[in-house]
Amino acid sequence: MNEMNTQMDYYKSKETGRILLRQDLEIVKEIYGDMADMDIFEKIDPPSVIDCITHARNFVAVYRYREMNGCSLPQAKDAIRKMKYDMRKATRKKQ
């Protein structure tokens, strides 16, 4: 099994609820410099995969899944695709 060696730092926007990785914050700082209000981001405990699917970009969910399960990238991508499909299917049934 291909295990992830390090645990990533996760942040959440206080304004949008969006989950970001530390690298995302570095990009924001790089683009906006001093204009970036970094106080709107708070460090959070590692989120669930479902939270990542609903509040982050797809690659964050894949990364988190790999972090939790120690699986390969293709396995994680397939699992996230299936989870997203099942979530959409469950939402349609409720309507």
Coordinates of all heavy atoms in Angstrom, one line a residue:
M1 N 0.8 -1.2 0.0 CA 0.0 0.0 0.0 C 0.9 1.2 0.0 O 1.9 1.3 0.7 CB -0.9 0.0 1.2 CG -2.3 0.1 0.9 SD -3.3 0.3 2.4 CE -4.3 -1.1 2.2
N2 N 0.4 2.3 -0.7 CA 1.2 3.5 -0.8 C 0.7 4.5 0.3 O -0.4 5.1 0.2 CB 1.0 4.1 -2.2 CG 1.8 5.4 -2.4 OD1 2.6 5.7 -1.6 ND2 1.4 6.1 -3.4
E3 N 1.4 4.6 1.4 CA 0.9 5.4 2.5 C 1.4 6.8 2.4 O 2.5 7.1 1.9 CB 1.4 4.8 3.8 CG 0.8 3.5 4.1 CD 1.1 3.0 5.5 OE1 1.3 3.8 6.4 OE2 1.2 1.8 5.7
M4 N 0.5 7.7 2.9 CA 0.9 9.1 2.9 C 1.7 9.3 4.2 O 1.3 8.9 5.3 CB -0.4 10.0 3.0 CG -1.4 9.8 1.9 SD -0.8 10.5 0.3 CE -1.0 12.2 0.7
N5 N 2.8 10.0 4.1 CA 3.7 10.1 5.3 C 3.4 11.3 6.1 O 3.7 11.3 7.3 CB 5.2 10.2 4.8 CG 5.6 8.9 4.1 OD1 5.1 7.8 4.5 ND2 6.6 9.0 3.2
T6 N 2.9 12.4 5.6 CA 2.7 13.6 6.4 C 1.2 13.9 6.4 O 0.5 13.7 5.4 CB 3.5 14.7 5.8 OG1 3.1 15.0 4.5 CG2 5.0 14.5 5.9
Q7 N 0.8 14.5 7.5 CA -0.6 15.0 7.6 C -0.6 16.5 7.2 O 0.2 17.3 7.6 CB -1.1 14.8 9.0 CG -2.6 15.1 9.0 CD -3.2 14.8 10.4 OE1 -2.5 14.5 11.3 NE2 -4.5 14.7 10.4
M8 N -1.5 16.8 6.3 CA -1.6 18.2 5.8 C -2.3 19.1 6.8 O -3.1 18.6 7.6 CB -2.4 18.1 4.5 CG -2.5 19.4 3.7 SD -0.9 20.1 3.3 CE -0.2 18.9 2.3
D9 N -2.0 20.4 6.7 CA -2.7 21.4 7.5 C -3.9 21.9 6.7 O -3.8 22.1 5.5 CB -1.8 22.6 7.8 CG -0.7 22.2 8.8 OD1 -0.9 21.3 9.6 OD2 0.4 22.8 8.7
Y10 N -5.1 21.9 7.4 CA -6.3 22.4 6.7 C -6.8 23.7 7.3 O -6.6 23.9 8.5 CB -7.4 21.3 6.9 CG -7.0 20.0 6.2 CD1 -6.3 19.0 6.9 CD2 -7.4 19.8 4.9 CE1 -6.0 17.8 6.2 CE2 -7.1 18.6 4.3 CZ -6.4 17.6 4.9 OH -6.0 16.5 4.3
Y11 N -7.4 24.5 6.5 CA -7.9 25.8 6.9 C -9.3 26.0 6.4 O -9.6 25.4 5.3 CB -7.0 26.9 6.4 CG -5.6 26.9 7.0 CD1 -4.6 26.1 6.5 CD2 -5.3 27.7 8.2 CE1 -3.4 26.0 7.1 CE2 -4.1 27.6 8.7 CZ -3.1 26.8 8.2 OH -1.9 26.7 8.7
K12 N -10.1 26.8 7.1 CA -11.5 27.0 6.6 C -11.7 28.5 6.6 O -11.3 29.3 7.5 CB -12.5 26.4 7.6 CG -13.9 26.4 7.1 CD -14.7 25.5 8.0 CE -16.1 25.3 7.3 NZ -16.9 24.3 8.1
S13 N -12.3 29.0 5.5 CA -12.7 30.4 5.4 C -13.8 30.7 6.3 O -14.9 30.0 6.2 CB -13.0 30.7 3.9 OG -13.6 32.0 3.9
K14 N -13.7 31.7 7.1 CA -14.8 32.1 8.0 C -15.9 32.7 7.2 O -17.1 32.8 7.7 CB -14.3 33.1 9.0 CG -13.2 32.5 10.0 CD -12.7 33.6 10.9 CE -11.6 33.1 11.8 NZ -11.0 34.2 12.5
E15 N -15.7 33.2 6.0 CA -16.7 33.9 5.2 C -17.4 32.9 4.3 O -18.6 33.0 4.2 CB -16.1 35.0 4.4 CG -15.6 36.1 5.3 CD -15.1 37.3 4.5 OE1 -15.3 37.3 3.2 OE2 -14.6 38.2 5.1
T16 N -16.7 32.0 3.7 CA -17.4 31.1 2.7 C -17.6 29.7 3.2 O -18.3 28.9 2.6 CB -16.6 31.1 1.4 OG1 -15.3 30.5 1.7 CG2 -16.4 32.4 0.8
G17 N -16.8 29.3 4.2 CA -16.9 27.9 4.7 C -16.0 26.9 3.9 O -16.0 25.7 4.1
R18 N -15.3 27.5 2.9 CA -14.5 26.7 2.0 C -13.3 26.1 2.7 O -12.7 26.8 3.5 CB -14.0 27.6 0.8 CG -13.6 26.9 -0.3 CD -14.8 26.7 -1.3 NE -14.3 26.2 -2.5 CZ -14.8 25.1 -3.1 NH1 -15.8 24.5 -2.6 NH2 -14.4 24.7 -4.2
I19 N -13.0 24.9 2.5 CA -11.8 24.2 3.1 C -10.6 24.3 2.1 O -10.7 24.1 0.9 CB -12.1 22.7 3.4 CG1 -13.2 22.6 4.5 CG2 -10.8 22.0 3.9 CD1 -13.6 21.2 4.8
L20 N -9.5 24.8 2.7 CA -8.3 25.0 1.9 C -7.1 24.2 2.5 O -7.1 24.0 3.7 CB -7.9 26.4 1.8 CG -9.0 27.4 1.3 CD1 -8.8 28.8 1.8 CD2 -9.0 27.3 -0.2
L21 N -6.1 23.9 1.7 CA -4.9 23.4 2.2 C -3.9 24.5 2.5 O -4.1 25.6 1.9 CB -4.2 22.4 1.2 CG -5.0 21.2 0.8 CD1 -4.3 20.4 -0.3 CD2 -5.2 20.3 2.1
R22 N -2.9 24.3 3.2 CA -1.8 25.3 3.5 C -1.3 25.9 2.2 O -1.1 27.1 2.1 CB -0.7 24.7 4.4 CG 0.3 25.8 4.7 CD 1.5 25.2 5.6 NE 2.1 24.1 4.9 CZ 2.2 22.9 5.5 NH1 1.8 22.7 6.8 NH2 2.8 21.9 4.9
Q23 N -1.1 25.0 1.2 CA -0.5 25.5 -0.1 C -1.5 26.5 -0.7 O -1.0 27.4 -1.4 CB -0.3 24.3 -1.1 CG 0.7 23.3 -0.7 CD 0.0 22.1 0.0 OE1 -0.7 22.3 1.0 NE2 0.2 20.9 -0.5
D24 N -2.8 26.3 -0.6 CA -3.8 27.2 -1.1 C -3.6 28.6 -0.5 O -3.7 29.6 -1.2 CB -5.2 26.8 -0.9 CG -5.5 25.5 -1.6 OD1 -5.0 25.3 -2.7 OD2 -6.3 24.7 -1.1
L25 N -3.3 28.7 0.8 CA -3.1 29.9 1.5 C -1.9 30.6 1.0 O -1.8 31.8 0.9 CB -3.1 29.7 3.0 CG -4.4 29.3 3.7 CD1 -4.2 29.3 5.2 CD2 -5.5 30.2 3.3
E26 N -0.8 29.8 0.8 CA 0.4 30.4 0.3 C 0.2 31.1 -1.1 O 0.7 32.1 -1.4 CB 1.5 29.3 0.2 CG 1.9 28.8 1.5 CD 2.4 29.8 2.5 OE1 3.1 30.7 2.1 OE2 2.1 29.7 3.7
I27 N -0.6 30.4 -1.9 CA -1.0 31.0 -3.2 C -1.7 32.3 -3.1 O -1.5 33.3 -3.8 CB -1.7 30.0 -4.1 CG1 -0.8 28.8 -4.5 CG2 -2.3 30.7 -5.4 CD1 -1.5 27.7 -5.1
V28 N -2.7 32.3 -2.2 CA -3.4 33.6 -1.9 C -2.5 34.7 -1.5 O -2.6 35.8 -2.0 CB -4.5 33.3 -0.8 CG1 -5.1 34.6 -0.3 CG2 -5.6 32.4 -1.3
K29 N -1.6 34.4 -0.6 CA -0.6 35.4 -0.1 C 0.3 35.9 -1.2 O 0.6 37.1 -1.3 CB 0.3 34.8 1.0 CG -0.4 34.6 2.3 CD 0.6 34.0 3.3 CE -0.1 33.5 4.6 NZ 0.9 32.8 5.5
E30 N 0.7 34.9 -2.1 CA 1.5 35.3 -3.2 C 0.8 36.2 -4.2 O 1.4 37.2 -4.7 CB 2.0 34.0 -3.9 CG 3.2 34.1 -4.8 CD 3.7 32.8 -5.3 OE1 4.0 31.9 -4.4 OE2 3.6 32.6 -6.5
I31 N -0.4 35.9 -4.5 CA -1.2 36.7 -5.5 C -1.6 38.1 -4.9 O -1.4 39.1 -5.6 CB -2.5 35.9 -5.9 CG1 -2.1 34.7 -6.7 CG2 -3.4 36.8 -6.7 CD1 -3.2 33.8 -7.0
Y32 N -2.1 38.1 -3.7 CA -2.7 39.3 -3.1 C -1.7 40.1 -2.2 O -2.0 41.2 -1.9 CB -4.0 39.1 -2.4 CG -5.0 38.6 -3.4 CD1 -5.4 37.2 -3.4 CD2 -5.7 39.5 -4.2 CE1 -6.4 36.8 -4.3 CE2 -6.7 39.1 -5.1 CZ -7.0 37.7 -5.1 OH -8.0 37.3 -6.0
G33 N -0.6 39.5 -1.8 CA 0.3 40.1 -0.9 C -0.3 40.7 0.4 O -1.1 40.0 1.0
D34 N 0.0 41.9 0.7 CA -0.5 42.6 1.9 C -2.0 42.8 1.8 O -2.6 43.1 2.9 CB 0.2 43.9 2.1 CG 1.7 43.7 2.5 OD1 2.0 42.6 3.0 OD2 2.5 44.6 2.3
M35 N -2.6 42.8 0.6 CA -4.0 43.0 0.5 C -4.8 41.9 1.0 O -6.0 42.0 1.3 CB -4.4 43.3 -1.0 CG -3.8 44.6 -1.5 SD -4.1 44.9 -3.3 CE -5.8 44.4 -3.4
A36 N -4.2 40.7 1.1 CA -4.9 39.5 1.5 C -5.2 39.6 3.0 O -4.3 39.8 3.8 CB -4.1 38.3 1.2
D37 N -6.5 39.4 3.4 CA -6.9 39.4 4.8 C -6.8 37.9 5.2 O -7.8 37.2 5.1 CB -8.3 39.9 4.9 CG -8.8 39.9 6.4 OD1 -7.9 39.7 7.3 OD2 -9.9 40.2 6.6
M38 N -5.7 37.5 5.8 CA -5.5 36.1 6.2 C -6.2 35.8 7.5 O -6.3 34.6 7.8 CB -4.0 35.8 6.3 CG -3.2 36.1 5.0 SD -3.9 35.4 3.5 CE -3.6 33.7 3.8
D39 N -6.8 36.8 8.2 CA -7.5 36.5 9.4 C -8.8 35.8 9.1 O -9.5 35.3 10.0 CB -7.8 37.8 10.2 CG -6.5 38.4 10.7 OD1 -5.5 37.6 10.9 OD2 -6.5 39.6 11.0
I40 N -9.3 35.8 7.9 CA -10.5 35.1 7.6 C -10.4 33.6 7.5 O -11.4 32.9 7.4 CB -11.2 35.7 6.3 CG1 -10.4 35.3 5.1 CG2 -11.5 37.2 6.4 CD1 -11.2 35.5 3.8
F41 N -9.1 33.1 7.6 CA -8.9 31.7 7.5 C -8.5 31.2 8.9 O -7.6 31.8 9.6 CB -7.8 31.4 6.5 CG -8.1 31.8 5.1 CD1 -7.5 32.9 4.6 CD2 -9.0 31.1 4.4 CE1 -7.7 33.3 3.3 CE2 -9.3 31.5 3.1 CZ -8.6 32.7 2.5
E42 N -9.1 30.1 9.3 CA -8.8 29.5 10.6 C -8.3 28.1 10.4 O -8.9 27.4 9.6 CB -10.0 29.6 11.6 CG -11.2 28.8 11.1 CD -12.3 28.9 12.1 OE1 -12.2 29.2 13.3 OE2 -13.5 28.6 11.6
K43 N -7.3 27.7 11.1 CA -6.8 26.4 11.0 C -7.8 25.4 11.7 O -8.4 25.8 12.8 CB -5.4 26.2 11.7 CG -4.8 24.9 11.5 CD -3.4 24.9 12.0 CE -2.8 23.5 11.7 NZ -1.4 23.4 12.2
I44 N -8.1 24.3 11.1 CA -9.1 23.4 11.6 C -8.4 22.0 11.7 O -7.4 21.7 11.1 CB -10.3 23.3 10.7 CG1 -9.9 22.8 9.3 CG2 -11.0 24.6 10.7 CD1 -11.1 22.5 8.4
D45 N -9.1 21.1 12.5 CA -8.7 19.7 12.6 C -8.9 19.1 11.2 O -9.8 19.6 10.4 CB -9.5 19.0 13.6 CG -9.2 19.4 15.0 OD1 -8.0 19.9 15.3 OD2 -10.0 19.4 15.9
P46 N -8.2 18.0 10.9 CA -8.4 17.4 9.6 C -9.9 17.1 9.4 O -10.5 16.5 10.3 CB -7.6 16.1 9.7 CG -6.5 16.5 10.6 CD -7.1 17.4 11.6
P47 N -10.5 17.6 8.3 CA -11.9 17.3 8.1 C -12.2 15.9 7.6 O -11.3 15.2 7.2 CB -12.2 18.4 7.0 CG -10.9 18.5 6.2 CD -9.9 18.3 7.3
S48 N -13.5 15.6 7.6 CA -13.9 14.3 7.0 C -13.8 14.4 5.5 O -13.8 15.5 4.9 CB -15.4 14.0 7.5 OG -16.3 14.9 6.8
V49 N -13.8 13.3 4.9 CA -13.8 13.2 3.4 C -15.1 13.9 2.9 O -15.0 14.6 1.9 CB -13.7 11.8 2.9 CG1 -13.8 11.7 1.4 CG2 -12.3 11.2 3.3
I50 N -16.2 13.6 3.5 CA -17.5 14.2 3.1 C -17.4 15.7 3.1 O -17.8 16.4 2.2 CB -18.7 13.7 3.9 CG1 -18.8 12.2 3.8 CG2 -20.0 14.4 3.6 CD1 -19.1 11.7 2.4
D51 N -16.8 16.3 4.2 CA -16.7 17.7 4.3 C -15.8 18.3 3.2 O -16.0 19.3 2.6 CB -16.0 18.2 5.7 CG -17.0 18.1 6.8 OD1 -18.3 18.1 6.5 OD2 -16.6 18.1 8.0
C52 N -14.7 17.5 2.8 CA -13.9 17.9 1.7 C -14.6 17.9 0.4 O -14.4 18.8 -0.4 CB -12.6 17.0 1.7 SG -11.5 17.3 3.0
I53 N -15.5 16.9 0.2 CA -16.2 16.8 -1.0 C -17.2 18.0 -1.1 O -17.3 18.6 -2.2 CB -17.0 15.5 -1.1 CG1 -16.0 14.3 -1.3 CG2 -18.1 15.5 -2.2 CD1 -16.7 12.9 -1.2
T54 N -17.8 18.4 -0.1 CA -18.8 19.4 -0.1 C -18.3 20.8 0.0 O -18.9 21.8 -0.4 CB -19.9 19.2 0.9 OG1 -19.3 19.1 2.2 CG2 -20.7 17.9 0.7
H55 N -17.1 21.0 0.6 CA -16.6 22.3 0.9 C -15.2 22.6 0.4 O -14.5 23.6 0.8 CB -16.6 22.6 2.4 CG -17.9 22.5 3.1 ND1 -18.9 23.4 2.8 CD2 -18.4 21.6 3.9 CE1 -20.0 23.0 3.5 NE2 -19.7 21.9 4.2
A56 N -14.7 21.8 -0.5 CA -13.3 22.0 -1.0 C -13.3 21.5 -2.5 O -14.2 20.9 -3.0 CB -12.3 21.2 -0.2
R57 N -12.1 21.8 -3.1 CA -11.9 21.3 -4.4 C -11.7 19.8 -4.4 O -11.3 19.2 -3.4 CB -10.7 22.0 -5.1 CG -11.0 23.5 -5.3 CD -10.0 24.2 -6.0 NE -8.8 24.3 -5.1 CZ -7.6 24.8 -5.4 NH1 -7.5 25.3 -6.6 NH2 -6.7 24.8 -4.6
N58 N -11.9 19.1 -5.5 CA -11.9 17.7 -5.6 C -10.6 17.1 -5.1 O -10.5 16.1 -4.4 CB -12.2 17.2 -7.0 CG -12.6 15.8 -7.1 OD1 -13.5 15.4 -6.4 ND2 -12.0 15.1 -8.0
F59 N -9.5 17.7 -5.5 CA -8.2 17.2 -5.1 C -7.9 17.1 -3.6 O -7.2 16.3 -3.1 CB -7.0 17.9 -5.9 CG -6.5 19.1 -5.2 CD1 -5.5 19.1 -4.2 CD2 -7.1 20.4 -5.5 CE1 -5.1 20.3 -3.6 CE2 -6.6 21.5 -4.9 CZ -5.6 21.5 -4.0
V60 N -8.6 18.1 -2.9 CA -8.5 18.1 -1.4 C -9.2 16.8 -0.9 O -8.6 16.2 0.0 CB -9.1 19.4 -0.8 CG1 -9.0 19.3 0.7 CG2 -8.3 20.6 -1.3
A61 N -10.3 16.5 -1.4 CA -11.0 15.3 -1.0 C -10.2 14.0 -1.3 O -10.1 13.1 -0.4 CB -12.4 15.2 -1.6
V62 N -9.6 14.0 -2.5 CA -8.7 12.8 -2.8 C -7.6 12.8 -1.9 O -7.2 11.7 -1.4 CB -8.3 13.0 -4.3 CG1 -7.2 11.9 -4.6 CG2 -9.5 12.8 -5.2
Y63 N -6.9 13.9 -1.6 CA -5.8 13.9 -0.7 C -6.1 13.4 0.7 O -5.5 12.6 1.3 CB -5.2 15.3 -0.7 CG -3.8 15.3 0.1 CD1 -2.7 15.2 -0.6 CD2 -3.8 15.4 1.5 CE1 -1.4 15.2 0.0 CE2 -2.6 15.4 2.1 CZ -1.4 15.3 1.4 OH -0.2 15.3 2.1
R64 N -7.3 13.9 1.2 CA -7.7 13.5 2.5 C -8.1 12.0 2.6 O -7.7 11.3 3.5 CB -8.9 14.4 2.9 CG -9.4 14.1 4.3 CD -8.4 14.4 5.4 NE -8.9 14.1 6.7 CZ -8.2 13.5 7.6 NH1 -7.0 13.2 7.4 NH2 -8.8 13.2 8.8
Y65 N -8.7 11.5 1.5 CA -9.0 10.1 1.5 C -7.7 9.3 1.5 O -7.7 8.3 2.3 CB -9.8 9.8 0.2 CG -10.3 8.4 0.2 CD1 -11.6 8.1 0.7 CD2 -9.6 7.3 -0.4 CE1 -12.1 6.8 0.7 CE2 -10.1 6.0 -0.4 CZ -11.3 5.8 0.2 OH -11.8 4.5 0.2
R66 N -6.7 9.7 0.8 CA -5.5 8.9 0.8 C -4.8 9.0 2.1 O -4.2 8.1 2.6 CB -4.5 9.5 -0.3 CG -4.9 9.2 -1.7 CD -3.9 9.7 -2.7 NE -2.8 8.8 -2.6 CZ -1.6 9.1 -3.0 NH1 -1.3 10.3 -3.5 NH2 -0.6 8.2 -2.9
E67 N -4.9 10.2 2.7 CA -4.3 10.4 4.1 C -4.9 9.5 5.1 O -4.2 8.9 5.9 CB -4.5 11.9 4.4 CG -3.8 12.4 5.6 CD -4.0 13.9 5.8 OE1 -5.2 14.3 6.0 OE2 -3.1 14.6 5.7
M68 N -6.2 9.3 5.0 CA -6.9 8.5 6.0 C -6.8 7.0 5.7 O -6.8 6.2 6.6 CB -8.4 8.8 6.0 CG -8.7 10.2 6.5 SD -10.5 10.7 6.4 CE -11.2 9.6 7.6
N69 N -6.7 6.6 4.4 CA -6.8 5.2 4.1 C -5.5 4.6 3.6 O -5.4 3.4 3.4 CB -7.9 5.0 3.0 CG -9.2 5.3 3.6 OD1 -9.7 4.5 4.5 ND2 -9.8 6.4 3.2
G70 N -4.5 5.4 3.3 CA -3.2 4.9 2.8 C -3.3 4.2 1.5 O -2.6 3.2 1.3
C71 N -4.1 4.7 0.6 CA -4.3 4.0 -0.7 C -3.6 4.8 -1.8 O -3.1 5.9 -1.6 CB -5.7 3.8 -1.0 SG -6.6 5.3 -1.1
S72 N -3.6 4.2 -3.0 CA -3.0 4.8 -4.1 C -3.9 6.0 -4.7 O -5.1 6.0 -4.3 CB -2.8 3.8 -5.2 OG -4.0 3.4 -5.8
L73 N -3.3 6.8 -5.5 CA -4.0 7.9 -6.1 C -5.2 7.4 -6.9 O -6.3 7.9 -6.8 CB -3.1 8.8 -6.9 CG -3.7 10.0 -7.6 CD1 -4.3 10.9 -6.6 CD2 -2.6 10.7 -8.4
P74 N -5.0 6.4 -7.8 CA -6.2 5.9 -8.6 C -7.3 5.4 -7.7 O -8.5 5.6 -8.0 CB -5.6 4.8 -9.5 CG -4.2 5.2 -9.6 CD -3.8 5.8 -8.3
Q75 N -6.9 4.6 -6.6 CA -7.9 4.1 -5.7 C -8.7 5.2 -5.1 O -9.9 5.2 -4.9 CB -7.3 3.2 -4.7 CG -6.7 1.9 -5.2 CD -5.9 1.2 -4.2 OE1 -5.2 1.8 -3.4 NE2 -5.9 -0.1 -4.2
A76 N -8.0 6.3 -4.6 CA -8.7 7.4 -4.0 C -9.6 8.1 -4.9 O -10.7 8.5 -4.6 CB -7.6 8.3 -3.4
K77 N -9.1 8.4 -6.1 CA -10.0 9.1 -7.1 C -11.2 8.3 -7.4 O -12.3 8.9 -7.5 CB -9.2 9.2 -8.4 CG -8.2 10.3 -8.4 CD -7.5 10.4 -9.8 CE -6.6 11.6 -9.9 NZ -6.0 11.7 -11.2
D78 N -11.1 7.0 -7.6 CA -12.3 6.1 -7.8 C -13.2 6.2 -6.6 O -14.5 6.3 -6.8 CB -11.9 4.7 -8.0 CG -11.2 4.5 -9.4 OD1 -11.4 5.4 -10.3 OD2 -10.6 3.4 -9.6
A79 N -12.7 6.1 -5.4 CA -13.5 6.2 -4.2 C -14.3 7.5 -4.1 O -15.5 7.5 -3.8 CB -12.7 5.9 -2.9
I80 N -13.6 8.6 -4.4 CA -14.2 9.9 -4.3 C -15.3 10.0 -5.4 O -16.4 10.5 -5.1 CB -13.2 11.0 -4.4 CG1 -12.2 11.0 -3.2 CG2 -13.9 12.4 -4.6 CD1 -12.9 11.2 -1.9
R81 N -15.0 9.6 -6.6 CA -16.1 9.6 -7.6 C -17.3 8.8 -7.2 O -18.4 9.3 -7.4 CB -15.5 9.0 -8.9 CG -15.0 10.0 -9.9 CD -14.7 9.3 -11.2 NE -13.3 9.8 -11.6 CZ -12.2 9.0 -11.6 NH1 -12.3 7.7 -11.4 NH2 -11.1 9.5 -11.9
K82 N -17.1 7.7 -6.6 CA -18.2 6.8 -6.2 C -19.0 7.6 -5.0 O -20.2 7.6 -5.0 CB -17.8 5.5 -5.7 CG -18.9 4.6 -5.3 CD -18.5 3.2 -4.9 CE -19.6 2.3 -4.5 NZ -20.9 2.7 -4.3
M83 N -18.3 8.1 -4.1 CA -18.9 8.9 -3.0 C -19.8 10.0 -3.5 O -20.9 10.3 -3.1 CB -17.9 9.3 -2.0 CG -17.2 8.2 -1.2 SD -15.9 8.8 -0.2 CE -16.8 9.4 1.2
K84 N -19.2 10.8 -4.5 CA -19.9 11.9 -5.0 C -21.2 11.5 -5.8 O -22.2 12.1 -5.7 CB -19.0 12.7 -6.0 CG -18.0 13.5 -5.2 CD -17.0 14.2 -6.2 CE -17.5 15.4 -6.7 NZ -16.5 16.2 -7.5
Y85 N -21.0 10.4 -6.5 CA -22.2 9.8 -7.2 C -23.3 9.4 -6.2 O -24.4 9.7 -6.4 CB -21.7 8.6 -8.1 CG -22.9 7.9 -8.7 CD1 -23.4 8.3 -9.9 CD2 -23.4 6.7 -8.2 CE1 -24.5 7.7 -10.5 CE2 -24.4 6.0 -8.8 CZ -25.0 6.5 -9.9 OH -26.0 5.9 -10.5
D86 N -22.9 8.7 -5.2 CA -23.8 8.2 -4.2 C -24.5 9.4 -3.5 O -25.7 9.3 -3.2 CB -23.1 7.3 -3.2 CG -22.7 6.0 -3.7 OD1 -23.2 5.6 -4.8 OD2 -21.9 5.3 -3.1
M87 N -23.7 10.5 -3.2 CA -24.3 11.6 -2.6 C -25.4 12.3 -3.5 O -26.4 12.7 -3.0 CB -23.2 12.6 -2.2 CG -22.3 12.2 -1.1 SD -20.8 13.1 -0.8 CE -21.5 14.7 -0.3
R88 N -25.0 12.4 -4.8 CA -26.0 13.0 -5.7 C -27.2 12.1 -5.8 O -28.4 12.7 -5.9 CB -25.3 13.2 -7.1 CG -24.4 14.4 -7.2 CD -24.1 14.7 -8.7 NE -23.4 13.6 -9.3 CZ -22.0 13.4 -9.3 NH1 -21.3 14.3 -8.7 NH2 -21.5 12.4 -9.9
K89 N -27.0 10.8 -5.9 CA -28.2 9.9 -6.0 C -29.1 10.0 -4.8 O -30.3 10.0 -4.9 CB -27.6 8.5 -6.1 CG -28.6 7.4 -6.5 CD -27.8 6.1 -6.7 CE -28.8 5.0 -6.9 NZ -28.1 3.7 -7.1
A90 N -28.5 10.1 -3.6 CA -29.2 10.2 -2.3 C -30.0 11.5 -2.3 O -31.2 11.6 -1.9 CB -28.3 10.1 -1.1
T91 N -29.4 12.6 -2.8 CA -30.1 13.9 -2.9 C -31.3 13.9 -3.8 O -32.3 14.4 -3.5 CB -29.1 15.0 -3.3 OG1 -28.0 15.0 -2.4 CG2 -29.7 16.4 -3.3
R92 N -31.1 13.2 -4.9 CA -32.2 13.1 -5.9 C -33.4 12.3 -5.3 O -34.5 12.7 -5.6 CB -31.8 12.5 -7.2 CG -30.9 13.4 -8.0 CD -30.6 12.7 -9.4 NE -29.5 13.4 -9.9 CZ -28.4 12.7 -10.4 NH1 -28.3 11.4 -10.4 NH2 -27.4 13.4 -10.9
K93 N -33.1 11.3 -4.5 CA -34.2 10.5 -3.9 C -35.0 11.3 -2.9 O -36.2 11.1 -2.8 CB -33.6 9.3 -3.2 CG -33.2 8.2 -4.2 CD -32.7 6.9 -3.4 CE -32.4 5.8 -4.4 NZ -31.9 4.7 -3.7
K94 N -34.3 12.2 -2.2 CA -35.0 13.0 -1.2 C -36.0 14.0 -1.9 O -37.0 14.4 -1.3 CB -34.0 13.8 -0.4 CG -33.3 12.9 0.6 CD -32.4 13.7 1.4 CE -31.6 12.8 2.4 NZ -30.6 13.6 3.2
Q95 N -35.7 14.4 -3.1 CA -36.5 15.4 -3.8 C -37.7 14.8 -4.3 O -38.5 14.4 -4.6 CB -35.7 16.1 -4.9 CG -34.6 16.9 -4.4 CD -33.7 17.5 -5.5 OE1 -33.9 17.2 -6.7 NE2 -32.7 18.2 -5.2

